[in-house]
Amino acid sequence: LDCHSCTACYLPTQPLKRMNSEHEPLISATDFRRDGQIEGGSKSTTKGTSEFQTAANIFKAIVGAGSFALPFAFSNMGIIGGLVVIIIAGVFSYVTVLMLMQCKNVIVASFAKNHVITYVDIARVVWGPTMEFAVYFCSVTGSLGVSAAYLVFIGETLNSMYDGIAPVVYMLLLMILLIPLCLLRTFRFYAFTSIIGDIGLAIGLTGVLVYGFKNFSLTSLGDHAMVRIETTPRSFGSVAFLFCVNFMILPIERAMKRPAYFSRTLAVAMTVVTVVNAAFGLLAFLLFSDNTCSNVVLNMSGSSYVYLVKIALCFDLTASYPLTMAPGREILENTLVPVLSRAVQRMQGRSVPGDWEVAISSTLRVVLVFVTLGVAQIKTFGQITNLVGGFSLASLAFIIPPLLYIKLYGTQLRMTTQGQISLFCTVFILVFGIASTSLTTYESIREFFDPLEEPSNCS
């Protein structure tokens, strides 16, 4: 996949105008088929991913470094509290993805049949420049924040293997590898490394549990708090960090051979992901108990097997880093490179050659890598996942989709009892999103000044 093709994932080839009629409903009866589906949605293609491949892509998009913060989330939320929050995050993420799909299909049916519709396009068409900027901002900060979290994870993990070098030094040394990777103009190189990375992730998840069962005994459920309201906001963002991947789902759906089956495929994938992560987080917490680290990998030490698990995870995140940075990086490139090129053109009094644009783009990429390095200096993996997940990713999943859906469907939903129930559920998700995002962001900022202490074995 050529990297310039990915630009279509964020910006259309031509501008889309906004639906701004104040006197006509945004959705008309002609937009619906008899089965309740929206006309103009994605059509089946002879080429594309199967349902199984799509489910695997969704699984890969969700399961990652965030899974290793879940045991610590149970420590902060309690047994029942942790399970409830994980289930709610999984269900609400599934529902809001479907909201985005329906909004996209209406736009395609109305006037954008030849466009590749993105999250940013949906926001601009439905709400205008303000919502468009909100999606831009959350996508950029989310993308760069996730990349920074990967750096923290790698730095902490390598430091746990040899503490003679500080985590920040490991991160600086990693720049030697990450900068060339981010300068690549093609993603073909990652086809192989992604497979190896998936294997590394599987080794990591199973390795934590194998190590735990080998060296510890499961503690009783009764030995732990069932619900811990006061510290729940300190880990809600870590759960959102894992599940809130709405901005990554549209390209996955678009690549399906039979998009009509996307809803069912998404439901199966989200169910499996929710069950697997809830089980992993709970089991790991019951094994490590009060000594659970915000990055549970740090609870492992000793044997060569442990080193193998940690190295495999570091390789996975190193290979994933350029891909997680791609959404935010491409948004900024499409915004800043033309502006900077015009500025250089005015200074030189002549057109800017293509090599100059490549140089500007490359410089921007290097700067962004060091920006993530700066963000990574937040104290722990748990802190950065809570901040990024609780603000940027939760906003993209639990706040913006309900707002778009209400704006687009509000009049239609009020016409029937079933529609009113749907509208009530949408408003409930919106209120939940605003409340959880506000509390988690507040707690994340407060934690800079009053950090939550981790067990001594995590340092």
Side-chain angles (χ1 to χ4, degrees):
L1 175 66
D2 185 81
C3 69
H4 295 290
S5 300
C6 291
T7 305
C9 298
Y10 309 103
L11 295 173
T13 54
Q14 299 176 14
L16 299 175
K17 61 182 181 180
R18 180 186 176 191
M19 291 180 177
N20 57 5
S21 172
E22 298 178 357
H23 304 290
E24 298 178 4
L26 291 177
I27 307 299
S28 65
T30 57
D31 290 323
F32 291 86
R33 298 200 304 262
R34 291 183 180 179
D35 60 359
Q37 297 298 315
I38 299 174
E39 293 282 8
S42 300
K43 298 180 180 179
S44 298
T45 59
T46 55
K47 296 182 180 181
T49 57
S50 65
E51 287 80 47
F52 178 80
Q53 291 170 324
T54 301
N57 287 338
I58 295 172
F59 190 89
K60 172 59 178 172
I62 297 175
V63 178
S67 299
F68 299 96
L70 289 184
F72 190 66
F74 276 96
S75 176
N76 284 329
M77 297 178 178
I79 302 297
I80 295 178
L83 289 174
V84 169
V85 169
I86 289 174
I87 293 172
I88 288 177
V91 172
F92 283 7
S93 295
Y94 167 75
V95 172
T96 55
V97 167
L98 294 185
M99 290 179 184
L100 280 179
M101 292 298 114
Q102 290 186 328
C103 293
K104 182 209 70 169
N105 289 342
V106 168
I107 295 172
V108 170
S110 299
F111 58 90
K113 292 182 175 61
N114 296 322
H115 284 286
V116 174
I117 301 300
T118 71
Y119 199 159
V120 172
D121 297 327
I122 297 170
R124 177 171 60 250
V125 170
V126 177
W127 271 98
T130 301
M131 189 64 74
E132 177 189 10
F133 175 77
V135 174
Y136 264 123
F137 181 79
C138 290
S139 296
V140 170
T141 55
S143 176
L144 298 183
V146 171
S147 301
Y150 284 7
L151 291 180
V152 176
F153 188 101
I154 295 171
E156 289 181 347
T157 302
L158 293 177
N159 176 259
S160 70
M161 297 170 63
Y162 177 67
D163 59 8
I165 299 177
V168 64
V169 177
Y170 281 117
M171 297 179 203
L172 283 169
L173 293 174
L174 197 61
M175 297 296 104
I176 300 173
L177 180 61
L178 292 179
I179 290 176
L181 287 175
C182 290
L183 290 177
L184 290 176
R185 300 285 164 174
T186 176
F187 285 148
R188 293 188 182 95
F189 172 78
Y190 302 114
F192 173 74
T193 57
S194 292
I195 296 174
I196 302 299
D198 289 342
I199 296 174
L201 181 61
I203 291 174
L205 291 172
T206 56
V208 169
L209 295 181
V210 169
Y211 177 87
F213 278 109
K214 183 178 179 181
N215 295 277
F216 302 91
S217 298
L218 281 174
T219 54
S220 171
L221 292 175
D223 294 337
H224 306 283
M226 293 294 104
V227 178
R228 298 187 65 185
I229 299 295
E230 68 281 3
T231 53
T232 290
R234 291 194 168 189
S235 279
F236 174 82
S238 298
V239 179
F241 183 93
L242 183 68
F243 285 96
C244 298
V245 294
N246 296 50
F247 70 103
M248 300 172 63
I249 293 296
L250 286 170
I252 294 177
E253 183 266 349
R254 189 164 54 242
M256 281 193 75
K257 183 182 298 183
R258 298 188 295 177
Y261 292 93
F262 176 76
S263 176
R264 184 179 68 183
T265 304
L266 177 67
V268 172
M270 291 297 291
T271 299
V272 173
V273 166
T274 302
V275 171
V276 168
N277 279 285
F280 170 79
L282 179 57
L283 284 173
F285 170 64
L286 292 177
L287 287 168
F288 299 113
S289 190
D290 295 334
N291 292 319
T292 303
C293 302
S294 63
N295 173 5
V296 73
V297 174
L298 300 182
N299 282 105
M300 299 192 300
S301 61
S303 67
S304 57
Y305 169 75
V306 172
Y307 286 166
L308 173 64
V309 170
K310 292 183 176 182
I311 291 173
L313 286 172
C314 290
F315 181 86
D316 170 48
L317 297 187
T318 300
S320 299
Y321 177 94
L323 301 177
T324 59
M325 180 184 278
R329 185 258 300 161
E330 289 191 352
I331 287 175
L332 291 175
E333 281 186 348
N334 281 280
T335 302
L336 298 179
V337 171
V339 174
L340 295 174
S341 296
R342 287 194 294 269
V344 173
Q345 181 177 345
R346 285 194 297 269
M347 292 174 58
Q348 294 187 343
R350 57 186 177 87
S351 60
V352 178
D355 291 344
W356 274 84
E357 291 191 354
V358 172
I360 294 172
S361 172
S362 299
T363 302
L364 178 61
R365 295 184 183 200
V366 174
V367 170
L368 291 178
V369 170
F370 281 99
V371 168
T372 63
L373 176 64
V375 175
Q377 302 319 302
I378 295 176
K379 293 185 178 180
T380 67
F381 177 71
Q383 285 177 308
I384 193 169
T385 56
N386 200 47
L387 177 60
V388 174
F391 175 71
S392 299
L393 303 185
S395 297
L396 289 169
F398 301 142
I399 296 179
I400 296 177
L403 285 174
L404 297 173
Y405 192 76
I406 292 171
K407 176 73 171 180
L408 208 53
Y409 283 91
T411 302
Q412 192 82 18
L413 293 174
R414 294 186 184 96
M415 295 180 180
T416 64
T417 301
Q418 183 177 357
Q420 291 172 359
I421 295 174
S422 177
L423 182 60
F424 172 81
C425 294
T426 303
V427 172
F428 180 82
I429 294 175
L430 174 61
V431 173
F432 169 83
I434 294 174
S436 59
T437 299
S438 300
L439 285 173
T440 303
T441 302
Y442 169 77
E443 284 292 339
S444 297
I445 295 174
R446 190 168 73 90
E447 202 168 328
F448 285 114
F449 307 98
D450 181 25
L452 183 66
E453 292 188 5
E454 293 193 47
S456 58
N457 60 288
C458 302
S459 59

PDB file of all heavy atoms in Angstrom, residues 56 117 130 145 168 190 384 457:
ATOM      1  N   ALA A  56     -10.160 -10.092  11.963  1.00  0.00           N
ATOM      2  CA  ALA A  56      -8.763 -10.110  12.393  1.00  0.00           C
ATOM      3  C   ALA A  56      -8.173  -8.700  12.402  1.00  0.00           C
ATOM      4  O   ALA A  56      -7.414  -8.335  13.310  1.00  0.00           O
ATOM      5  CB  ALA A  56      -7.945 -11.019  11.483  1.00  0.00           C
ATOM      6  N   ILE A 117     -15.170   8.535   1.976  1.00  0.00           N
ATOM      7  CA  ILE A 117     -15.626   9.319   3.118  1.00  0.00           C
ATOM      8  C   ILE A 117     -14.842   8.933   4.369  1.00  0.00           C
ATOM      9  O   ILE A 117     -14.686   7.760   4.688  1.00  0.00           O
ATOM     10  CB  ILE A 117     -17.137   9.092   3.350  1.00  0.00           C
ATOM     11  CG1 ILE A 117     -17.923   9.491   2.104  1.00  0.00           C
ATOM     12  CG2 ILE A 117     -17.618   9.889   4.549  1.00  0.00           C
ATOM     13  CD1 ILE A 117     -17.756  10.935   1.710  1.00  0.00           C
ATOM     14  N   THR A 130     -16.274  23.609  12.995  1.00  0.00           N
ATOM     15  CA  THR A 130     -15.960  23.415  14.409  1.00  0.00           C
ATOM     16  C   THR A 130     -15.778  21.938  14.743  1.00  0.00           C
ATOM     17  O   THR A 130     -14.791  21.537  15.373  1.00  0.00           O
ATOM     18  CB  THR A 130     -17.058  24.006  15.302  1.00  0.00           C
ATOM     19  OG1 THR A 130     -17.184  25.406  15.027  1.00  0.00           O
ATOM     20  CG2 THR A 130     -16.715  23.823  16.774  1.00  0.00           C
ATOM     21  N   GLY A 145      -0.313  10.526  20.695  1.00  0.00           N
ATOM     22  CA  GLY A 145      -0.308  10.056  22.076  1.00  0.00           C
ATOM     23  C   GLY A 145      -0.118   8.556  22.176  1.00  0.00           C
ATOM     24  O   GLY A 145       0.621   8.065  23.043  1.00  0.00           O
ATOM     25  N   VAL A 168      14.592   6.838  29.299  1.00  0.00           N
ATOM     26  CA  VAL A 168      14.670   7.888  28.297  1.00  0.00           C
ATOM     27  C   VAL A 168      15.851   7.654  27.352  1.00  0.00           C
ATOM     28  O   VAL A 168      15.783   8.004  26.158  1.00  0.00           O
ATOM     29  CB  VAL A 168      14.779   9.279  28.965  1.00  0.00           C
ATOM     30  CG1 VAL A 168      16.067   9.413  29.755  1.00  0.00           C
ATOM     31  CG2 VAL A 168      14.668  10.391  27.920  1.00  0.00           C
ATOM     32  N   TYR A 190       5.953  -3.160   6.042  1.00  0.00           N
ATOM     33  CA  TYR A 190       5.325  -3.573   7.292  1.00  0.00           C
ATOM     34  C   TYR A 190       4.473  -4.824   7.162  1.00  0.00           C
ATOM     35  O   TYR A 190       3.962  -5.330   8.165  1.00  0.00           O
ATOM     36  CB  TYR A 190       4.466  -2.431   7.841  1.00  0.00           C
ATOM     37  CG  TYR A 190       5.254  -1.171   8.069  1.00  0.00           C
ATOM     38  CD1 TYR A 190       5.003  -0.029   7.321  1.00  0.00           C
ATOM     39  CD2 TYR A 190       6.270  -1.131   9.014  1.00  0.00           C
ATOM     40  CE1 TYR A 190       5.740   1.119   7.520  1.00  0.00           C
ATOM     41  CE2 TYR A 190       7.016   0.014   9.210  1.00  0.00           C
ATOM     42  CZ  TYR A 190       6.735   1.143   8.463  1.00  0.00           C
ATOM     43  OH  TYR A 190       7.464   2.268   8.653  1.00  0.00           O
ATOM     44  N   ILE A 384       0.066   7.915  30.717  1.00  0.00           N
ATOM     45  CA  ILE A 384      -0.108   8.402  29.356  1.00  0.00           C
ATOM     46  C   ILE A 384      -1.279   7.719  28.665  1.00  0.00           C
ATOM     47  O   ILE A 384      -2.032   8.349  27.916  1.00  0.00           O
ATOM     48  CB  ILE A 384       1.196   8.246  28.535  1.00  0.00           C
ATOM     49  CG1 ILE A 384       1.092   9.033  27.235  1.00  0.00           C
ATOM     50  CG2 ILE A 384       1.503   6.793  28.246  1.00  0.00           C
ATOM     51  CD1 ILE A 384       2.406   9.143  26.494  1.00  0.00           C
ATOM     52  N   ASN A 457       8.201  -2.719  43.151  1.00  0.00           N
ATOM     53  CA  ASN A 457       8.761  -3.632  42.148  1.00  0.00           C
ATOM     54  C   ASN A 457       8.560  -3.133  40.720  1.00  0.00           C
ATOM     55  O   ASN A 457       9.116  -3.698  39.783  1.00  0.00           O
ATOM     56  CB  ASN A 457       8.123  -5.013  42.276  1.00  0.00           C
ATOM     57  CG  ASN A 457       6.616  -4.986  42.070  1.00  0.00           C
ATOM     58  OD1 ASN A 457       5.886  -4.488  42.933  1.00  0.00           O
ATOM     59  ND2 ASN A 457       6.148  -5.530  40.967  1.00  0.00           N
TER      60      ASN A 457
END
